[in-house]
Amino acid sequence: EGAAHLADALRVNTSLKGLVLGRNNIGPEGAAHLANALRFNASLERLDLGRNNIGPEGAAHLADALQANTSLKVLELENRSVSNAWVQEINDLIQTRGQRVAAVGGVKDKVACTSKREEGTE
């Protein structure tokens, strides 16, 4: 429910550049609300959803949103218990649905999705 309210505000916000939502117990439904907001938000460049429970379903919503979003440069999905299979599933979703995304990788226990713009190759 909290993520839905935050998504409503994020949808219309025009100045916020970064948002850290780590450790907020955001699940797949909350990730879906945030993903919907990302479709409309044109200012957010960095979103940290680390140590939440978005799972593959939430990652799919976020990957879809990346197709419409033109501002997001970094999406962080850190999770201590992230498995290689989960990292691969997110990687596959991003690669097939988000052409703006240049790199997705597991660094220790971190999944970071970085856009071409962030890397300076756009």
Side-chain angles (χ1 to χ4, degrees), residues 61-83:
H61 291 296
L62 292 166
D64 283 341
L66 287 176
Q67 291 183 56
N69 182 283
T70 59
S71 65
L72 196 68
K73 296 177 182 177
V74 177
L75 172 61
E76 295 183 30
L77 303 170
E78 180 182 358
N79 188 325
R80 286 183 188 238
S81 63
V82 76
S83 68

Side-chain angles (χ1 to χ4, degrees), residues 21 36 39 50 92:
L21 295 175
N36 187 44
R39 294 177 192 280
D92 292 346

Side-chain angles (χ1 to χ4, degrees), residues 63 88-99 101-104:
Q88 187 60 50
E89 186 159 351
I90 293 170
N91 187 32
D92 292 346
L93 288 167
I94 298 293
Q95 294 303 316
T96 59
R97 297 181 184 166
Q99 295 131 346
V101 177
V104 177

Side-chain angles (χ1 to χ4, degrees), residues 12-25:
V12 296
N13 182 279
T14 60
S15 61
L16 190 66
K17 298 290 183 193
L19 184 59
V20 177
L21 295 175
R23 298 178 187 213
N24 277 293
N25 201 30

